[in-house]
Amino acid sequence: MGLLTINYGMFVRYYGIKELSPRNSIISTKFSARAFASRKPMKKSRREGRPSKSFTLQTKETLPEDINGLADMHPSNDGNTNNGKSVDSTPPDIISIPSRSNVLQACTITSGLIAALGLIIRQVSHVGSMEGLPILDCSTEVSFGFELWHLELITGLVLIISSCRYILLKTWRYFAESSDTANKQILSSLQPYDYLVVAFLPGMSEELLFRGALLPVLGFDWKSVIVVSTLFGVLHLGNGRKYSFAVWATFVGIVYGYATIMSSSVIVPMASHALNNLVGGLLWRYTSKSLE
């Protein structure tokens, strides 16, 4: 099950993450070793006056052997064979796995920036409303208040969203692939207790911005719910997340928006988002471990 967090892959890459293709690394290493080994014969043949093969020809001659060496690692389905072994003509999918420190650092910085933007919008709307501008005061429409019945609403949201996500993972292949790719990039290097950070920080900061600031600023009605949820979904694209994941994020945004209008509290979507992230991340971790 996937974490519903805005794509912060660019922040992870900024802190030193590189995407590497295992095959390209192996081939380039072999070519470099052969090229180095061929320098002595080339120099010797020059001294003795014998013609020598160019580096280009040496590389071309070694290429089939290199591919044969990789045939067992990457079998192909296109019917091309070499000595009875399949040869893969396309490179494997590249999935970069950031280190634990890079993931936590990127998550903290991104969440901090999103929360700061949400607080700025709320403050600007408050000042603008006090000055008589035709703008809703975010702090009045969506407060940080909490009532006992909000617990029932939060519990219902977690159950509904987690159940819908589980059904989609079992029935929608593209959504399952997008979720799994995103989870591998974010969660693979983390410890179980790190999941609290990557679940709660994005969940709380994103809801502060989208449901606590943008939703009331744009009107605090169903139109604003649709607009904000669509933006929320689009920002979840990238780093292995395809349009299926964006559709899911848009749906979840609509549910959180409706809960915000019902409760007039940003605490409800914050808690629901964070708990859903935590449940999804932990289930993915232990499910993937059991499969291995």
Side-chain angles (χ1 to χ4, degrees):
M1 295 196 175
L3 285 180
L4 190 63
T5 57
I6 288 179
N7 173 27
Y8 51 85
M10 62 178 182
F11 286 92
V12 177
R13 287 193 294 270
Y14 177 80
Y15 287 101
I17 300 305
K18 296 181 179 179
E19 294 181 343
L20 297 177
S21 170
R23 174 184 299 182
N24 292 339
S25 300
I26 295 172
I27 294 178
S28 62
T29 303
K30 289 189 174 184
F31 284 175
S32 299
R34 293 175 186 272
F36 177 79
S38 65
R39 290 177 183 172
K40 282 189 175 181
M42 291 175 67
K43 291 180 179 179
K44 184 177 180 180
S45 61
R46 288 172 183 171
R47 289 197 301 267
E48 296 176 357
R50 298 197 309 267
S52 60
K53 297 180 180 179
S54 66
F55 174 75
T56 303
L57 293 176
Q58 179 72 18
T59 302
K60 289 182 179 180
E61 290 176 359
T62 59
L63 182 57
E65 181 181 349
D66 292 333
I67 295 179
N68 290 335
L70 294 171
D72 294 332
M73 298 169 54
H74 303 287
S76 173
N77 296 325
D78 58 3
N80 295 329
T81 58
N82 195 336
N83 294 332
K85 298 181 180 180
S86 298
V87 179
D88 186 7
S89 59
T90 59
D93 292 336
I94 301 173
I95 299 178
S96 59
I97 306 298
S99 66
R100 173 176 176 266
S101 60
N102 285 329
V103 171
L104 295 178
Q105 189 174 19
C107 179
T108 303
I109 293 175
T110 308
S111 298
L113 293 175
I114 293 174
L117 180 58
L119 291 174
I120 291 173
I121 293 175
R122 286 176 66 88
Q123 184 62 30
V124 169
S125 70
H126 175 71
V127 174
S129 178
M130 295 295 292
E131 295 294 331
L133 297 178
I135 184 174
L136 292 177
D137 187 350
C138 294
S139 59
T140 301
E141 299 294 332
V142 182
S143 68
F144 288 94
F146 184 79
E147 300 179 16
L148 189 59
W149 69 272
H150 290 169
L151 287 175
E152 300 176 1
L153 182 57
I154 293 171
T155 303
L157 290 172
V158 173
L159 291 175
I160 291 173
I161 292 176
S162 295
S163 300
C164 292
R165 179 171 49 197
Y166 180 80
I167 294 173
L168 287 178
L169 287 172
K170 297 298 182 181
T171 59
W172 195 0
R173 180 172 62 90
Y174 295 109
F175 174 71
E177 292 174 353
S178 296
S179 298
D180 187 61
T181 300
N183 285 335
K184 285 179 180 178
Q185 291 176 329
I186 298 175
L187 304 177
S188 295
S189 61
L190 300 183
Q191 298 296 326
Y193 51 82
D194 294 331
Y195 286 30
L196 291 172
V197 177
V198 298
F200 279 81
L201 285 185
M204 296 175 67
S205 61
E206 290 172 17
E207 293 308 315
L208 177 60
L209 173 60
F210 288 94
R211 258 62 66 175
L214 295 179
L215 179 61
V217 162
L218 296 179
F220 205 56
D221 52 17
W222 276 109
K223 292 181 180 179
S224 62
V225 168
I226 298 299
V227 172
V228 172
S229 300
T230 302
L231 176 62
F232 184 69
V234 170
L235 290 177
H236 281 78
L237 287 171
N239 271 28
R241 293 173 172 177
K242 302 176 182 178
Y243 289 100
S244 55
F245 200 92
V247 172
W248 164 249
T250 301
F251 165 75
V252 173
I254 292 175
V255 175
Y256 289 152
Y258 177 69
T260 305
I261 292 178
M262 283 184 60
S263 62
S264 296
S265 172
V266 73
I267 298 298
V268 171
M270 277 183 174
S272 303
H273 192 158
L275 289 174
N276 274 309
N277 280 349
L278 183 61
V279 170
L282 290 175
L283 285 178
W284 176 85
R285 178 182 179 89
Y286 292 108
T287 300
S288 60
K289 291 291 184 182
S290 62
L291 291 177
E292 292 175 0

